[in-house]
Amino acid sequence: MIAWGRKYSLYPFTFATACCGIEVMGAFGTHYDLSRFGAEVVRFSPRQADVLLVAGTINYKMAPVLKRIYDQMLEPKWVISMGACACSGGFYNNYTVLQGIDKIIPVDVYIPGCPPNPEGIIDAVVRIQKIIETGAPRAAERWPIK
């Protein structure tokens, strides 16, 4: 019963640093309407969110900020890595860019693409709902990856 209620009341916190943030706005807009999937109320404090949506490039200077935001979220929490830059550093293969946010925080769902489309965000939310429904282990329970 708790899982049923939880899967339809996800509270996302968006950490957008690049062009993927525009696609996030599109997913929450009227055309794609992410609210149909129970993830409509965006939180502006990580303490009130249970889904962290990381969209865009994360450099080494920003990485501790992202880690701190993740640590401030209450359990249970899930992480979506959106776009090539958040997933793997994208085409920024240099000494300043983190080559994937899974180097510092556990990631539950990856959305590939540069930038991914809003349908990818909706698919990621549905996958998190599946994780909640089935009771599958979250990425945080498998962390750190060995």
Side-chain angles (χ1 to χ4, degrees):
M1 185 69 165
I2 292 174
W4 179 85
R6 183 171 284 152
K7 81 176 202 180
Y8 290 116
S9 59
L10 296 172
Y11 295 101
F13 178 86
T14 304
F15 189 80
T17 61
C19 52
C20 288
I22 302 298
E23 299 298 327
V24 172
M25 288 185 249
F28 286 104
T30 56
H31 185 74
Y32 293 100
D33 195 14
L34 194 58
S35 64
R36 294 176 293 154
F37 301 94
E40 66 182 295
V41 184
V42 177
R43 295 297 178 181
F44 298 100
S45 169
R47 291 185 176 98
Q48 300 171 342
D50 51 13
V51 175
L52 177 60
L53 179 58
V54 181
T57 309
I58 304 298
N59 57 33
Y60 283 106
K61 197 169 187 176
M62 189 62 76
V65 176
L66 177 62
K67 175 75 170 123
R68 184 174 180 144
I69 288 171
Y70 175 79
D71 290 341
Q72 289 176 340
M73 294 173 64
L74 298 177
E75 293 286 344
K77 55 189 171 187
W78 297 270
V79 176
I80 298 172
S81 177
M82 179 184 173
C85 295
C87 292
S88 65
F91 52 80
Y92 300 108
N93 188 10
N94 60 42
Y95 66 94
T96 62
V97 175
L98 187 66
Q99 300 299 303
I101 63 167
D102 57 0
K103 304 276 192 271
I104 57 170
I105 59 174
V107 175
D108 293 286
V109 178
Y110 295 89
I111 306 173
C114 183
N117 54 22
E119 289 94 342
I121 299 169
I122 292 170
D123 185 53
V125 168
V126 170
R127 279 197 241 165
I128 286 181
Q129 289 175 331
K130 278 267 197 242
I131 292 170
I132 295 170
E133 183 179 25
T134 62
R138 294 175 294 124
E141 296 165 1
R142 301 185 308 263
W143 189 260
I145 298 170
K146 305 241 186 277

